[in-house]
Amino acid sequence: MIMEKKNPCIVMVPSPGLSHLIPLVEFAKNLTSFFLHHHKIDNLHVKLLIPTLGPPSSSMNSILNTKSLPPNITFTLLPQVNPQDLNITDAKPQPATLMQLAVKQSLPFIHQQLTNLTSTNHYHLVSIVFSLFSTDVIHLAKEFNLLSYVFFASGASFLSFCLHLPHLDEQQQQQHDDDDESFLFHHQFTETNGNNGVHIPGCPVPFQVQDFPAPVLYQRSSQAYKSFLGVCREYSLVDGVIVNTFTDLESDAIKAIEDQAKTRNNNANSPFVYPIGPLIQTATTNQVNRLECLTWLDNQPPKSVLYISFGSGGTVSQEQLNEIAFGLELSGNKFLWVLRAPNSFGGSAYLKEQKEDPLHYLPSGFLDRTKGQGLVVTSWAPQVEILAHGSTGGFLTHCGWNSILESVVYGVPMIAWPLFAEQSMNAVLLKDVLKVALMPEKAEDEDGIIKREGIANVIMRIMEENKEGLEIRKRIKEFSDAAAAAAISENGGSSAEAFLSVAEKFKSRI
């Protein structure tokens, strides 16, 4: 009797949220294509096990549309996790905490799925690849004797911080044994006494306390801090970290991570970090607002339009929304604005789809006054096509990593407007290290609102043919060319080499 050969299978577990799902799906597509064309392996299967907080959004449904996925990439939406069942102890839970706890609560279902896959004669499990906040599945990887890799959907600079955080926490314990404050809490009081900020391995410029993600600013006994620290500690236990970046963009951070890994693992020869980016969507399957946006752009002059979007879940307050509207009006510059209903928390729509009409929150008469100047669309737009369009000359962005990579790939200068998570760290990288973005100045008062005059000023600085704007355009064109050279392709760029290296690790188990 001839035994049927089992299909090799790689399981992928994204964290909740589109910014984690999108690049992981793109990685899966590249992986199956690579094994088919380079190793003639046409039966590699990728199974996505997707933890969910609430029902899937329309954007998630479009990404997981079976028409846009190859037949050997399938997915299972795990049972919805109710946020009320997560045993949240912090008064204001952070999205990072919610995502980590949602994955933790989904572990029994992930275990069952792995058991089902291994108990059939159809699949041979090779590895688990999991997202930034899905590190709890590393214990399942050990139980099922699988390779374990983190797919890090942010940059190498933030990864370096995450790997360095346990060391900083240990220092804090040694220096302030009975103190419940985080190391950054103490640091913020020394900044005024000549301290130059917090230095992270591989980052050429220091970061200020306000640049770091909110969870690490909490007390050390808080759920947010402990959850984030626990995730960072797990990174040192995996077989490697696959990072959606490329060497020319973050060479110092990548080298620092590799050096730390060699020290930690007694100078091991195997790479720890695999920079395989930029992995971005090449086209969007969601047709909402697509025709309207692209038709409008077709009728605008080259490089004349400022595109404004705060990502898949970013929000601003009503007062700040008003100032953005008046700032656009004041600048006189053409714009395409993806509008979302206001909220005082910058990530309020990240894990929960909004139902209300954002247009109701615009200043009275704004749409009439700017009818020939701009286009406002609600909630979603075909971002990749917009950034690739010849009429787009600038991007006001929340500094989410996917948006940054898309802007870099298409050579679009940025106005950095970070809202939450690691976005302020990304903004520092864009403005002070890569020098491909400007930031509007906040007003001196305590409300932190960026006023219309400052918004109009930064728009004109980035969009007009001045020395500053031209220099930024030159810089981002260089990174755009480097991204094309590095990308996973037949040309064998730096990311292609890293991709080949991690693919060979998978192949060794097939």
Side-chain angles (χ1 to χ4, degrees), residues 43-56:
N43 63 337
L44 176 68
H45 189 84
V46 173
K47 180 72 170 181
L48 289 154
L49 303 179
I50 305 174
T52 58
L53 277 162

Side-chain angles (χ1 to χ4, degrees), residues 341-392:
N343 192 290
S344 57
F345 172 56
S348 66
Y350 184 68
L351 296 173
K352 184 178 180 181
E353 194 169 28
Q354 288 188 331
K355 303 296 184 184
E356 48 201 332
D357 184 359
L359 296 178
H360 293 157
Y361 296 93
L362 286 169
S364 178
F366 173 79
L367 292 176
D368 291 332
R369 294 193 301 271
T370 60
K371 194 169 185 179
Q373 179 187 351
L375 173 67
V376 179
V377 296
T378 57
S379 300
W380 192 91
Q383 180 160 295
V384 172
E385 288 93 333
I386 290 170
L387 291 172
H389 199 284
S391 294
T392 303

